[in-house]
Amino acid sequence: MTKILALTTNLFRKKSNSVHAIVGLQLLALVITLINMLWKHTFDRIDPIGLTLSYGFLAGLILFILLARRIEHVWTSSSARLLPITDTKLYLANLGSTLLSFIYFLVLELIIGGICSIGALSDIHASFQQILPYTATSLTTILALTLYGWAFISLVHLLGVTISTWLPEMRSKFIYFVLYVVVGILLLKILSTMGNLLGKFVTPLFTGQYNATINPGLLSFSGILFLITIVFSLLNIYLLKNWVETKQNA
């Protein structure tokens, strides 16, 4: 257990650098945009929170892609694969540290959003008791989506590595092309789902009109995603143990 915790901590520290970079760029863009609005006299008190949500959404998407690349780098890194740890623990540490990094990002976004919403509190027609369940459900769904996405991308990558072992180079490139198209479609789906989720969360804050069926529906959706992620993870661990390592040792 000590080894997996130490590895998770080490991987988290490396991946948190991406979080700091993305959030830093987001804040820079936010400040520049607000200064420009003040200069042009188009500033409104609701702009800070609106821009924070917009830039935060874009930052989250970019971070998702960067963290996905870091996950895949571990699978192909000889220094990681040669560690005295089982493939199962390596997989859990890699995915777990990535999830912690994204949670860290979400916490920072909540802090930034809270600060930027101070000036627009009078425009928010919702109580804390109403906001809390919506926030918790939305964050749960976002985490379920990201885990599902990372597990699926890993599955596609590991399948590609496995298949390419038995195919000539040209056919391997074609297989990778097809797999990249699949990953691209998945990213677009995740982007669309997160956009819809953000809209469902933000709109009631300013209208005060809450749909009681949203939370149960999102929680059910999240539960299904978590189950699929577990299945994908079991397949990924199987591939790591029985196929990918064989290719790398060849």
Side-chain angles (χ1 to χ4, degrees), residues 127-138:
S127 64
F128 179 76
Q129 289 76 12
Q130 291 175 314
I131 294 176
L132 184 60
Y134 260 64
T135 303
T137 303
S138 298

Side-chain angles (χ1 to χ4, degrees), residues 21-35 55:
I22 292 297
V23 173
L25 290 174
Q26 176 192 352
L27 289 175
L28 180 61
L30 178 63
V31 171
I32 292 175
T33 305
L34 291 176
I35 291 176
Y55 288 157

Side-chain angles (χ1 to χ4, degrees), residues 45-46 120-128 130-131 202-210:
R45 62 186 179 184
I46 203 174
L121 289 178
S122 60
D123 296 302
I124 297 178
H125 303 287
S127 64
F128 179 76
Q130 291 175 314
I131 294 176
V202 174
T203 302
L205 297 180
F206 298 97
T207 63
Q209 298 177 355
Y210 284 82

Side-chain angles (χ1 to χ4, degrees), residues 33-45 47:
T33 305
L34 291 176
I35 291 176
N36 184 56
M37 286 182 168
L38 288 170
W39 179 263
K40 294 182 177 180
H41 303 287
T42 58
F43 178 81
D44 188 86
R45 62 186 179 184
D47 287 333

